[in-house]
Amino acid sequence: MDNILFWLVPVASVLALCFAYYFHKQMMKESEGTPQMIKIAAAVRKGAMSYLKQQYKVVASVFVVLVILFSIMAYGFHVQNEWVPIAFLTGGFFSGLAGFLGMKTATYASARTANAARTSLNKGLQVAFRSGAVMGLVVVGLGLLDISFWYILLNAFIPDEALDPTHKLTIITTTMLTFGMGASTQALFARVGGGIYTKAADVGADLVGKVEAGIPEDDPRNPATIADNVGDNVGDVAGMGADLYESYCGSILATAALGAAAFVSSGSVELQYKAVVAPMLIAAVGIILSIIGIFAVRTNENATIKQLLKALAIGTNLSSVLIAISTFGVLYVLGMENWFWIGCSVIVGLLVGIVIGQATEYYTSQSYKPTRLVSEAGLTGPATVIISGLGLGMLSTAIPVLAVVVGIICSFLFASGFDFTNVGMGLYGIGIAAVGMLSTLGITLATDAYGPIADNAGGNAEMCNLGKEVRKRTDALDSLGNTTAATGKGFAIGSAALTAMALFMSYAQQVNLSAINILSYTTIIGLLIGGMLPFLFSAFTMESVSKAAYSMIEEVRRQFREIPGIMEGKSKPDYTKCVDISTKAALREMIIPGVMAVIAPIIIGFLLGTEAVGGMLAGSLVTGVMMAIFMSNAGGAWDNAKKYIENGNHGGKGSEAHKAAVVGDTVGDPFKDTSGPAINILIKLMTIVALVFSSVFIGILN
């Protein structure tokens, strides 16, 4: 029965890819609209694909260096498993592929969403959301397919007779963690590079176009408009897809490794196998039920933002309830010991994800008081807008962090049978809670990828002069997208905290760290360096956006100054030049933050040892989670505060309050779309790197 159940994993992954293909085909059947709409969509698509190809070339060179290093360690010095270099490559490849397919779909969907909005709000929502679902289903489908492939392959090729039976599964799960490192490395470059690209264009377009020239957002007279729309796709679709791909895979792989370790001393291969397979099966069931939730999303004409949010929530909540019920059935049929309480740990993860999502929505949606207070601060100028947004971002860390804390406590106690001494199963419970949180990723990511599609649809409608009614509908969809994007980032950060915790525990078990001595000078050094790294990483990425935005601002000003007839609509701006500026800046500036995340744990491990690395990982986890939540929510609030004013409040578009809110939004752009969301990848990547190199650190110490 156990072996039969396992095959549900590859079947579910293939099913996800089939439905992704179905939704893509349905979207492609929709009309792209007028010739002008088709032309603009083609320009955005060309720019996005051009950038992504160049980004992948740069990332490929980094992967070549790392694969050579892993190969030397595996085949030369024999301090790594021989499968590690190949697993690392496949992780990076599938992460990049998920982002590529999702972004390609998004660039075809934007004009079709704008055209559908000419018919009705519900039609526009359907096209945008189901196009976003392609991203969600591709991520979970490719992720689970890669995991099941490697499990089958390693189980077949690692000989039973050469190892203790329980040791074999430990080797398999720790080796599989390596492709999680490949996925995390690719995700970090995708997030950072895409974030720099999109925010350089966005800042240039907003400050010069909206503030200085006084023209609307997405106005075709703005030279940075096409680059801004390209950036939405490379940052918020390709970047987010790669980000959550590695979170999804990382949580499953870390939990499987913890499950293998929990029963390694028991001598029972059966119990160990069930613990390894359980997170894969929960993820598989989550895929099937997410598909059901996707079909449940629909709305009415003239719906408010709250009603649109409710429409999306119906789909997500339906999937969550069905997963919660089915989890117990899966664990019972699998025959796991303590199946009921382990199922409760999964439910804890789901609930923590919901709490984080709701908290993020409360602090970032224009439908609620916090964001409205930020917009009100615009009446007294940009300084008060920024101060109010910073305060809101800091305040917003409390609920998600407390939710994660409660989740860790409850999941540990449930899985351990309320026995504090049963550490192995307790840690397994924390890992499987992370799996539970991400089990709805198919539909959760759909709501996130929907955002940039709706944003681009609004840009297309504005540039093609589709009329006030259509623009009203696309604005409603775009505003909804701002909130769902913020919720998605909050969800990603929350899952990162639990996943990084599970990976950290896997590292501790791998290097035989039962405890970390906080009084040891090496541990203190590690803690301080780890706590500093998210700040240093944010500084690098913020400065990168600033440099790129400066070049963009100067170029937009130059075109307004030197090309006659732009403001009158008689001359066409040079969009290509702005696209080139963002592309070159993103490719140049993403290298240092990306490389830093890989080499930091290696340097600390070589110089100070395994305990110092443990301190570094703990320090980066604490400050990284806080920074990520603070920056993402502050940025989301500033963005929606601007939207709230644009809807006619506090003087509306062009008012002094609006100009102040635009400045706040400009500051928030790199907060929420570059530095904040990339930090959660940073903390996971450093943990996986430490885990992969753990055998090397131990070898040096011995």
Side-chain angles (χ1 to χ4, degrees):
M1 175 61 79
D2 295 343
N3 288 326
I4 295 173
L5 275 178
F6 169 77
W7 289 104
L8 179 64
V9 179
V11 169
S13 64
V14 172
L15 184 67
L17 295 175
C18 288
F19 270 96
Y21 178 75
Y22 168 76
F23 287 136
H24 178 79
K25 294 294 290 184
Q26 290 295 111
M27 177 272 295
M28 292 297 290
K29 289 179 181 178
E30 298 289 336
S31 171
E32 209 167 6
T34 66
Q36 180 66 7
M37 293 171 70
I38 295 171
K39 184 179 178 181
I40 289 169
V44 173
R45 185 158 53 247
K46 182 182 177 182
M49 291 301 173
S50 175
Y51 167 75
L52 212 59
K53 287 176 182 177
Q54 293 182 66
Q55 184 196 73
Y56 286 169
K57 287 179 182 178
V58 175
V59 175
S61 62
V62 175
F63 268 73
V64 168
V65 173
L66 290 173
V67 167
I68 292 172
L69 175 62
F70 289 142
S71 299
I72 293 170
M73 291 166 58
Y75 307 121
F77 297 103
H78 303 289
V79 292
Q80 283 283 17
N81 188 290
E82 61 187 11
W83 293 100
V84 164
I86 307 168
F88 175 74
L89 274 178
T90 63
F93 174 77
F94 279 110
S95 177
L97 181 61
F100 175 82
L101 293 174
M103 193 198 72
K104 189 174 181 180
T105 301
T107 57
Y108 277 106
S110 57
R112 289 172 168 83
T113 299
N115 191 59
R118 298 166 74 185
T119 303
S120 70
L121 182 65
N122 183 57
K123 182 69 172 176
L125 177 66
Q126 291 286 319
V127 173
F129 180 72
R130 293 194 178 181
S131 299
V134 174
M135 176 86 265
L137 294 174
V138 162
V139 164
V140 296
L142 288 178
L144 209 55
L145 186 65
D146 201 12
I147 290 171
S148 57
F149 167 78
W150 272 104
Y151 180 81
I152 293 167
L153 183 71
L154 293 171
N155 190 49
F157 279 89
I158 295 177
D160 292 331
E161 61 274 8
L163 297 167
D164 180 82
T166 56
H167 191 213
K168 178 179 176 177
L169 273 175
T170 305
I171 295 293
I172 289 173
T173 52
T174 52
T175 302
M176 288 169 68
L177 280 167
T178 312
F179 89 72
M181 179 182 168
S184 293
T185 304
Q186 159 59 27
L188 188 64
F189 282 108
R191 254 307 189 189
V192 172
I196 294 169
Y197 185 111
T198 183
K199 293 307 108 182
D202 204 357
V203 170
D206 283 355
L207 284 185
V208 185
K210 293 166 73 174
V211 177
E212 294 182 9
I215 58 178
E217 187 172 2
D218 297 317
D219 193 296
R221 293 171 292 177
N222 194 326
T225 297
I226 295 295
D228 188 11
N229 281 274
V230 170
D232 290 335
N233 290 287
V234 300
D236 293 337
V237 181
M240 174 60 87
D243 177 357
L244 285 171
Y245 176 91
E246 62 91 23
S247 277
Y248 185 72
C249 292
S251 67
I252 296 170
L253 294 171
T255 306
L258 288 169
F263 292 100
V264 72
S265 61
S266 69
S268 175
V269 179
E270 183 182 357
L271 292 176
Q272 195 184 35
Y273 170 80
K274 291 174 180 177
V276 168
V277 172
M280 303 181 196
L281 287 172
I282 291 168
V285 171
I287 287 177
I288 297 168
L289 299 177
S290 289
I291 293 169
I292 295 173
I294 290 168
F295 280 102
V297 174
R298 57 189 71 248
T299 191
N300 299 316
E301 190 61 32
N302 300 318
T304 64
I305 297 297
K306 278 191 175 182
Q307 289 170 329
L308 287 170
L309 283 168
K310 185 179 178 181
L312 294 182
I314 287 172
T316 305
N317 293 338
L318 176 63
S319 296
S320 298
V321 170
L322 292 174
I323 290 169
I325 296 169
S326 61
T327 291
F328 291 100
V330 168
L331 294 173
Y332 174 77
V333 174
L334 186 61
M336 284 198 71
E337 290 188 348
N338 197 26
W339 63 270
F340 177 80
W341 291 110
I342 291 174
C344 289
S345 293
V346 176
I347 305 305
V348 166
L350 273 169
L351 291 174
V352 170
I354 292 170
V355 170
I356 291 173
Q358 291 298 310
T360 305
E361 181 184 322
Y362 174 73
Y363 282 112
T364 60
S365 173
Q366 60 177 283
S367 301
Y368 299 101
K369 186 177 179 181
T371 294
R372 292 186 177 186
L373 288 175
V374 175
S375 71
E376 188 178 331
L379 295 170
T380 51
T384 47
V385 168
I386 291 170
I387 293 169
S388 180
L390 289 173
L392 181 149
M394 293 176 187
L395 180 64
S396 71
T397 62
I399 294 175
V401 169
L402 290 174
V404 170
V405 168
V406 172
I408 289 172
I409 295 171
C410 292
S411 58
F412 184 99
L413 289 175
F414 288 154
S416 66
F418 300 89
D419 180 5
F420 283 102
T421 62
N422 191 2
V423 176
M425 285 305 298
L427 297 178
Y428 180 75
I430 295 172
I432 211 161
V435 174
M437 183 185 289
L438 288 164
S439 60
T440 59
L441 186 61
I443 187 169
T444 304
L445 187 50
T447 64
D448 194 21
Y450 150 87
I453 295 173
D455 192 359
N456 270 214
N460 195 299
E462 179 69 34
M463 286 184 275
C464 296
N465 299 310
L466 293 187
K468 289 184 178 180
E469 186 61 30
V470 177
R471 192 64 176 128
K472 181 182 176 182
R473 290 168 182 164
T474 57
D475 280 348
L477 295 174
D478 183 24
S479 185
L480 173 66
N482 286 333
T483 301
T484 60
T487 304
K489 291 180 180 75
F491 182 82
I493 295 163
S495 67
L498 286 179
T499 302
M501 184 77 176
L503 289 167
F504 179 62
M505 297 307 174
S506 293
Y507 167 79
Q509 289 185 340
Q510 194 71 14
V511 298
N512 297 315
L513 269 180
S514 58
I516 295 177
N517 182 10
I518 198 169
L519 297 179
S520 167
Y521 80 95
T522 57
T523 304
I524 293 173
I525 291 171
L527 279 168
L528 289 172
I529 292 175
M532 172 269 294
L533 284 173
F535 288 87
L536 185 62
F537 180 85
S538 299
F540 281 140
T541 51
M542 292 284 286
E543 183 62 25
S544 296
V545 172
S546 179
K547 289 178 184 177
Y550 178 84
S551 300
M552 186 67 71
I553 289 168
E554 289 298 305
E555 174 59 23
V556 175
R557 285 173 175 169
R558 185 195 67 78
Q559 291 197 34
F560 278 147
R561 186 175 60 249
E562 297 180 6
I563 301 177
I566 284 185
M567 292 303 293
E568 293 78 21
K570 297 177 181 179
S571 298
K572 185 180 177 183
D574 185 358
Y575 300 123
T576 305
K577 182 67 175 176
C578 292
V579 170
D580 288 341
I581 288 172
S582 274
T583 299
K584 290 175 181 177
L587 295 174
R588 182 179 62 249
E589 299 291 340
M590 73 179 185
I591 299 296
I592 293 176
V595 172
M596 183 188 78
V598 176
I599 65 172
I602 298 174
I603 292 173
I604 296 295
F606 282 164
L607 294 179
L608 299 174
T610 56
E611 191 166 348
V613 173
M616 186 198 75
L617 297 178
S620 65
L621 176 61
V622 172
T623 61
V625 170
M626 307 297 175
M627 282 282 289
I629 296 171
F630 154 62
M631 297 182 86
S632 293
N633 287 350
W638 277 318
D639 194 351
N640 276 331
K642 178 199 68 177
K643 293 284 185 186
Y644 183 68
I645 294 173
E646 289 175 346
N647 289 337
N649 301 289
H650 305 308
K653 290 184 180 180
S655 66
E656 291 303 312
H658 182 237
K659 290 178 180 177
V662 169
V663 174
D665 178 39
T666 304
V667 174
D669 277 338
F671 265 50
K672 68 180 175 67
D673 291 326
T674 307
S675 301
I679 291 174
N680 68 69
I681 308 174
L682 172 75
I683 60 179
K684 286 178 292 184
L685 178 56
M686 289 197 299
T687 311
I688 294 178
V689 170
L691 188 57
V692 170
F693 280 85
S694 59
S695 58
V696 183
F697 300 155
I698 294 171
I700 292 172
L701 290 174
N702 293 335

